[in-house]
Amino acid sequence: NAGVTQTPKFQVLKTGQSMTLQCAQDMNHNSMYWYRQDPGMGLRLIYYSASEGTTDKGEVPNGYNVSRLNKREFSLRLESAAPSQTSVYFCASSGTGGMRSEAFFGQGTRLTVV
Amino acid sequence: RKEVEQDPGPFNVPEGATVAFNCTYSNSASQSFFWYRQDCRKEPKLLMSVYSSGNEDGRFTAQLNRASQYISLLIRDSKLSDSATYLCVVPSGTGRRALTFGSGTRLQVQP
């Protein structure tokens, strides 16, 4: 009954360091998403993947790269972390269209860049 | 106009009150809509889906007004446990394959 699993749950980086956030889902969903949520604000879409092998930019893609490794896994990479990337990162997955569009979220990664 | 807009609140209401939130969306082609609930520092969780004119689930009613391009969430007989942020969600992006979240409306139910 795992759903969407994100790792790590917490991370502190120094400015300029790189890291990859991992996300995996076991619901056979086609679509996967990466969002960031800053304190007191809503979720902003970084990148999404509508199916294996495809990725599209969201609202705030700068400073990030993604890889849809297979249907289950969607990773987010910060090549050179900046303090402005301090945030909570959520991965989500959903079916495609209509009633299957509900998104299920991972528990989040709390990232601090110092 | 933002793709999805919500009143950020906070809405402070006493237990037992009825409270309503509105959400406006910009793309008239959107067909399905969702309300999510997010507790402090937790992940959002689906509360209700709205595909036609509306949907009701116990104390919660979601309504869709396509002509005016807004959806609403009505909570009756508010409980302390209803205190959370409520997020409006609309499909967006290429082929409507992404989900755009509103910034959320915070509800605080007081004893």
Side-chain angles (χ1 to χ4, degrees), chain B residues 21-71:
Chain B
F21 312 133
N22 281 339
C23 167
T24 58
Y25 61 93
S26 60
N27 193 316
S28 59
S30 298
Q31 295 295 314
S32 54
F33 308 87
F34 309 92
W35 284 102
Y36 279 71
R37 170 190 170 130
Q38 185 176 28
D39 294 292
C40 187
R41 301 179 67 78
K42 297 288 186 69
E43 73 273 23
K45 293 186 178 177
L46 180 67
L47 178 66
M48 297 187 74
S49 307
V50 188
Y51 303 107
S52 56
S53 60
N55 190 12
E56 185 171 327
D57 183 5
R59 297 184 294 108
F60 298 85
T61 300
Q63 291 188 316
L64 169 62
N65 184 317
R66 289 190 189 277
S68 300
Q69 293 183 209
Y70 76 83
I71 60 174

Side-chain angles (χ1 to χ4, degrees), chain A residues 36-108:
Chain A
R36 62 177 285 175
Q37 186 173 35
D38 299 317
M41 296 184 67
L43 283 81
R44 291 185 293 169
L45 183 64
I46 305 171
Y47 272 94
Y48 68 101
S49 171
S51 62
E52 184 179 350
T54 68
T55 60
D56 287 283
K57 293 179 180 179
E59 182 185 354
V60 288
N62 291 344
Y64 305 95
N65 285 304
V66 291
S67 295
R68 184 73 183 268
L69 303 170
N70 47 55
K71 192 170 186 178
R72 290 188 64 248
E73 298 172 289
F74 189 38
S75 62
L76 178 72
R77 182 160 178 84
L78 286 71
E79 291 291 352
S80 179
S84 60
Q85 294 179 303
T86 294
S87 190
V88 179
Y89 291 84
F90 288 105
C91 176
S93 71
S94 72
T96 303
M99 295 181 68
R100 293 171 293 161
S101 293
E102 294 93 326
F104 297 85
F105 284 80
Q107 291 183 318

